Amino acid sequence: MNRILIAEDEERIASFVQKGLRANGFTTVVAEDGDMALSHALTGAFDLMLLDIGLPGRDGFTVLRELREARVTLPVIVLTARDSVRDTVAGLEGGADDWMTKPFRFEELLARVRLRRRTAGRAPEVTLLRSGSLALDLRTRRARADERTVDLTAREFVLLEMFLRHPGQVLSREQILSHVWGYDFDPGSNIVDVYVRALRRKLGAERLETVRGMGYRLP
């Protein structure tokens, strides 16, 4: 992983990052706006992209979304002045592999780039879970059922992912509560049943089977 695309419109920052990366053996290209960044990223000529969110033209969120919708798995590290939890979550859930806020130390950026370089040679990350005609795209966070595209809420996504990672296995309400809602839940709550019903409405009633007295199962 030596070819890095730097999507940054602030010349001072782009120059700083480019010089540092080149001094450490990387080949770099700077894209000064979102349209150029997306065009370069779609070529497949790069191993990693450093992406600013506040780009002219397409902003960084749009670039990231269109990349993932095009099934491009190019690793993306976001470099941005935005530091709100909402933006960070939106970026990571939208397909970013890492998130750094400005100002940043180059040593930390270099360490994160090298981490991506070390993990690049591992087995490809699974980005699509499938069971029969039901599929879940982990990048776009959308499901497909019988060729229909289904939008999911954050909780529905995590719940469906859990079922697809354990096909045929009965999952108890307690297991689901712990995994999807963490430790901050009421064991007597019917929230699992509510969300299972919501998934059935969206995906089809036959998708999730009730096992009386035990829990639910993806057949």
Side-chain angles (χ1 to χ4, degrees):
M1 183 186 288
N2 289 313
R3 300 162 299 175
I4 298 181
L5 175 61
I6 304 169
E8 173 60 66
D9 64 314
E10 292 188 41
E11 185 178 350
R12 178 181 58 83
I13 295 176
S15 177
F16 166 70
V17 172
Q18 185 173 47
K19 287 178 181 177
L21 289 174
R22 287 185 172 179
N24 282 275
F26 294 93
T27 300
T28 61
V29 171
V30 174
E32 299 172 353
D33 60 54
D35 297 339
M36 186 185 301
L38 181 62
S39 178
H40 281 313
L42 289 172
T43 65
F46 296 92
D47 302 302
L48 177 76
M49 177 162 64
L50 303 178
L51 177 65
D52 181 31
I53 293 299
L55 294 171
R58 288 177 171 86
D59 67 12
F61 285 127
T62 303
V63 171
L64 188 57
R65 186 186 73 249
E66 293 189 19
L67 271 182
R68 298 318 185 206
E69 287 178 350
R71 302 293 190 268
V72 175
T73 58
L74 175 71
V76 175
I77 299 176
V78 171
L79 295 177
T80 179
R82 302 189 187 188
D83 59 359
S84 73
V85 172
R86 181 179 180 180
D87 283 333
T88 304
V89 170
L92 294 174
E93 291 192 344
D97 297 275
D98 204 347
W99 184 283
M100 289 187 66
T101 55
K102 302 173 183 175
F104 58 88
R105 295 180 63 85
F106 180 77
E107 292 82 0
E108 182 182 356
L109 173 61
L110 183 61
R112 296 191 187 208
V113 168
R114 285 174 170 164
L115 175 62
R116 291 294 152 197
R117 186 181 187 183
R118 289 197 300 272
T119 58
R122 297 179 184 173
E125 178 187 1
V126 174
T127 60
L128 188 69
L129 300 177
R130 186 183 297 276
S131 177
S133 60
L134 177 63
L136 181 66
D137 191 318
L138 302 183
R139 290 289 191 180
T140 64
R141 305 181 76 79
R142 288 178 178 171
R144 288 187 66 81
D146 298 321
E147 302 307 316
R148 291 183 298 109
T149 298
V150 181
D151 290 320
L152 302 171
T153 68
R155 297 285 191 192
E156 290 169 351
F157 171 84
V158 176
L159 178 57
L160 181 56
E161 180 185 3
M162 185 181 187
F163 279 118
L164 283 167
R165 289 190 184 277
H166 302 86
Q169 178 179 332
V170 178
L171 300 176
S172 69
R173 288 175 175 80
E174 290 74 19
Q175 285 177 299
I176 295 171
L177 279 168
S178 178
H179 180 79
V180 179
W181 281 269
Y183 293 101
D184 184 22
F185 65 82
D186 175 6
S189 170
N190 71 337
I191 191 69
V192 171
D193 309 280
V194 171
Y195 272 81
V196 167
R197 286 198 297 270
L199 281 180
R200 284 172 169 163
R201 284 195 299 270
K202 291 186 176 184
L203 304 175
E206 74 285 357
R207 299 289 183 183
L208 297 175
E209 180 181 279
T210 301
V211 181
R212 292 192 179 277
M214 298 179 66
Y216 295 101
R217 173 172 59 198
L218 179 71

